[in-house]
Amino acid sequence: MMWLSSGFLFRSGKSFYHRIDPRVKLLCSILMFVCAIIARFVYEIAIVVAFVLGVAAAAKALRRVGRTVAFTSLFSVLIFGLNFFVTRDLESSVLYAARFVGIVVSTSLFFVTTSPDELEQVMKTFRLPRDIVFAFVTAVRFVPVLMLDAMQIMDAQKSRGLEMQKGNVLRRIRSMVPVLVPLVVTSVVRSGELAEAMESRAYGAVPRPTSLVQYRARAADKVVAVAALLLFALTAYSFYVVLPPLGL
Amino acid sequence: MPAMLEVEGLSFRYPESRRKAVSDFGLRVEEGEIVVLAGPSGCGKSTLLRAVNGLVPHMYSGDYSGDVRVAGRSVKATDMRELAQTVGFLFQNPENQIFMFSVERDVAFGLENLGVPRPEMRARVDEALRLLGVEPLAQRAPHELSDGQKQRVALAGVIAMRPKLVILDEPTSLLDPKTASELVGLVARLRKELGTTFLIVEHRLDLLVGVADRMVVMSEGRKVLDGTPADVLLGEEAEGYGVAVPSITRLQKALAREGLVSGSRVMTSAELAAAVEGPGGI
């Protein structure tokens, strides 16, 4: 489970791409995302995906983005299968599945190269309500804590004879119940304590809280943003005007 | 001048409970005092602490009577945001009071909420990090810290708000003995450097005998003992209320009964050893 979910979890890195302003990284990911949407042919999407993976490789995040693709491959197959079942059109079914992969890689690239701190900054830039930003922050903050809780509960239940690795899928899912119930209970208790601590530290005292750190876009960030926009324009132009319509 | 904390005839009953959690409780704490609150689990200590920082009655409603005043202001009539700047609260589990991804940002959390301007916030955060000795951890993530470090970071976040009164709810229960005594040393230092008043709930009284000015014992929601550590620990009643009288103090009492030591203060092991070694001793 941890292996699968790690595709969307940040790990600090020192590459050039990691150090770009988070807002610019978001712009890059959105542009790649849009490219995958507007591409009309599978080979065009393949170009986009190859480009994203190239950036991921430069950011030393290729494996983690790859993991996300592996994690979501079931959905890709499902999208292809359902489309093919309904339309009986191989071409469009592959296109939709490929588009999904394109969306996944471009989104994943943003998440694996952006720290939660930076994400919070991006959310603040968009003037999202403080409560929503804070809910996001605590959710991410407590992921490792909850995972530790879950492992402790698993150990405790295993030591009392719970067998989690045996039986068919149904039985294994059912054996998760004695783990999930205490996990939910401890999380509820924890959230109560969090609420007390928030109140005690003046949460919500003023409508516009200040911030200890401030991110400023550097010249290099602006260059990247402009380059990304130019590249996007060029790509869109190529997709619709230059590149030949090529089916499968 | 009003006392730092005045509790008068406080009673509180949670809506779902038939019994009062705190019953006709009175307490006066002067500025700069370190007061230890002891008593068995479920005796109402936690409720009392929450009544001091305003969680009772602002977050937990129930039958509330009596009055609690902090630095002369009624807790009931003051909202949480203002109370948060006067009363700091360190909870038992440090994990659940660290919100942000880095230590320094978490220490700044309360100040951000209060809208403190950035340059002043920077200075106050740095000061709190220095006072608690956690400057080298400033950029760490919470999950990279030990329990003792987490407790210090959480306390730094409380101290950065410059409260006059700090409440510690069983601060050492998750710490090993060495880290626990370091935390107690820290409390003594903060009192000395900042003049902070402390109200501490703690079971491990041996740790606090040296720094506490007063000990208050609660039982079934009421105050049953209140005095200096010597009054409480050398008296006959404390153990009856389930207070863990330190074993060295029990030895001191036993020796005093035999007439081998005298004196009206709680002795450390070294003092006790010196006393029995002298003329007339063993």
Side-chain angles (χ1 to χ4, degrees):
Chain A
M1 230 158 68
M2 279 175 124
W3 181 85
L4 288 173
S5 59
S6 65
F8 269 98
L9 281 183
F10 171 77
R11 192 169 299 151
S12 57
K14 298 248 183 297
S15 78
F16 173 72
Y17 199 76
H18 278 86
R19 280 182 282 126
I20 295 174
D21 187 283
R23 290 160 291 189
V24 176
K25 276 187 281 192
L26 181 66
L27 174 74
C28 292
S29 272
I30 289 173
L31 293 177
M32 295 175 200
F33 186 106
V34 174
C35 283
I37 301 272
I38 62 169
R40 291 174 303 168
F41 304 102
V42 176
Y43 84 95
E44 290 177 343
I45 294 177
I47 295 172
V48 175
V49 171
F51 178 77
V52 177
L53 294 180
V55 175
K60 297 202 170 66
L62 189 57
R63 276 182 63 187
R64 294 169 58 73
V65 172
R67 253 183 229 181
T68 319
V69 175
F71 180 46
T72 52
S73 57
L74 192 69
F75 293 97
S76 315
V77 173
L78 209 67
I79 287 169
F80 171 79
L82 282 174
N83 261 296
F84 191 70
F85 180 75
V86 174
T87 63
R88 301 278 163 192
D89 180 355
L90 184 69
E91 171 105 37
S92 76
S93 306
V94 173
L95 189 69
Y96 279 111
R99 205 166 263 162
F100 177 72
V101 173
I103 290 167
V104 167
V105 289
S106 50
T107 324
S108 167
L109 178 66
F110 174 70
F111 282 104
V112 301
T113 57
T114 306
S115 73
D117 248 348
E118 291 176 322
L119 272 179
E120 186 202 351
Q121 204 55 40
V122 172
M123 294 170 90
K124 277 188 186 164
T125 311
F126 288 119
R127 309 201 166 222
L128 285 177
R130 164 86 162 161
D131 286 347
I132 291 178
V133 177
F134 189 71
F136 166 80
V137 168
T138 40
V140 179
R141 148 80 180 92
F142 281 95
V143 166
V145 178
L146 287 184
M147 283 188 171
L148 214 65
D149 276 356
M151 284 197 290
Q152 279 180 354
I153 293 168
M154 263 186 234
D155 285 346
Q157 298 292 48
K158 275 185 202 161
S159 72
R160 294 163 67 184
L162 178 74
E163 288 180 329
M164 301 189 63
Q165 317 293 346
K166 276 196 177 167
N168 56 22
V169 178
L170 207 67
R171 213 170 137 176
R172 283 187 196 198
I173 289 174
R174 209 186 295 154
S175 74
M176 289 299 287
V177 173
V179 174
L180 288 177
V181 171
L183 188 63
V184 169
V185 171
T186 52
S187 303
V188 169
V189 171
R190 195 183 285 286
S191 68
E193 291 181 13
L194 273 171
E196 284 192 323
M198 281 165 67
E199 286 286 329
S200 305
R201 279 169 79 192
Y203 181 81
V206 295
R208 308 219 97 226
T210 43
S211 178
L212 180 69
V213 287
Q214 189 182 30
Y215 288 90
R216 277 210 189 85
R218 298 161 299 155
D221 296 321
K222 288 171 190 159
V223 171
V224 172
V226 172
L229 284 167
L230 286 176
L231 191 61
F232 171 73
L234 190 71
T235 311
Y237 179 73
S238 314
F239 280 0
Y240 285 90
V241 182
V242 184
L243 293 173
L246 259 178
L248 275 179
Chain B
M1 200 183 127
M4 181 50 62
L5 170 66
E6 292 161 290
V7 183
E8 277 170 15
L10 177 72
S11 293
F12 185 77
R13 189 175 61 81
Y14 290 100
E16 67 275 22
S17 168
R18 297 167 79 184
R19 200 169 59 85
K20 285 178 182 169
V22 175
S23 179
D24 196 24
F25 193 96
L27 179 69
R28 191 182 161 89
V29 179
E30 301 297 334
E31 189 168 353
E33 264 193 306
I34 295 181
V35 176
V36 173
L37 188 62
S41 301
C43 73
K45 300 185 301 273
S46 291
T47 306
L48 178 69
L49 295 185
R50 281 158 179 75
V52 173
N53 98 320
L55 288 171
V56 169
H58 295 299
M59 190 169 154
Y60 300 103
S61 52
D63 289 346
Y64 185 103
S65 62
D67 199 17
V68 179
R69 284 188 301 279
V70 175
R73 292 166 77 186
S74 164
V75 166
K76 203 178 175 182
T78 311
D79 62 29
M80 279 305 290
R81 330 172 159 191
E82 295 194 27
L83 284 168
Q85 298 173 66
T86 320
V87 188
F89 201 126
L90 183 73
F91 294 86
Q92 191 171 3
N93 188 348
E95 190 81 80
N96 297 343
Q97 48 193 320
I98 299 179
F99 306 102
M100 309 307 276
F101 306 113
S102 79
V103 166
E104 67 167 18
R105 293 223 38 215
D106 188 77
V107 172
F109 179 74
L111 304 177
E112 290 184 350
N113 289 335
L114 292 171
V116 174
R118 188 172 294 128
E120 189 194 336
M121 179 154 39
R122 184 78 257 174
R124 283 168 72 171
V125 167
D126 289 343
E127 185 196 26
L129 291 171
R130 183 183 57 77
L131 280 168
L132 277 294
V134 287
E135 288 157 303
L137 309 176
Q139 302 303 328
R140 296 269 190 94
H143 63 262
E144 295 171 328
L145 305 176
S146 70
D147 285 338
Q149 288 170 335
K150 278 179 199 158
Q151 194 66 285
R152 277 171 180 249
V153 167
L155 188 54
V158 170
I159 292 294
M161 298 178 81
R162 298 197 177 147
K164 295 193 181 95
L165 170 65
V166 171
I167 294 170
L168 310 179
D169 190 1
E170 300 191 30
T172 70
S173 62
L174 297 172
L175 305 182
D176 63 67
K178 182 166 170 282
T179 321
S181 72
E182 279 169 7
L183 186 81
V184 172
L186 211 55
V187 166
R189 216 180 89 207
L190 289 172
R191 191 248 303 255
K192 200 171 149 222
E193 289 189 22
L194 306 174
T196 314
T197 311
F198 282 92
L199 180 59
I200 309 173
V201 163
E202 183 57 65
H203 290 296
R204 289 151 88 168
L205 296 181
D206 52 335
L207 287 169
L208 289 163
V209 166
V211 297
D213 298 305
R214 261 167 66 207
M215 283 192 178
V216 173
V217 178
M218 270 182 98
S219 177
E220 294 181 346
R222 292 170 190 278
K223 184 169 87 173
V224 288
L225 295 172
D226 183 353
T228 62
D231 291 341
V232 171
L233 297 177
L234 296 178
E236 296 305 318
E237 292 171 78
E239 282 178 80
Y241 290 113
V243 173
V245 176
S247 43
I248 195 71
T249 309
R250 292 212 304 272
L251 178 63
Q252 181 186 341
K253 279 158 77 175
L255 292 172
R257 277 195 294 273
E258 303 292 326
L260 292 168
V261 294
S262 59
S264 56
R265 15 176 252 105
V266 178
M267 293 181 184
T268 63
S269 48
E271 288 168 339
L272 193 58
V276 294
E277 267 170 7
I282 304 167

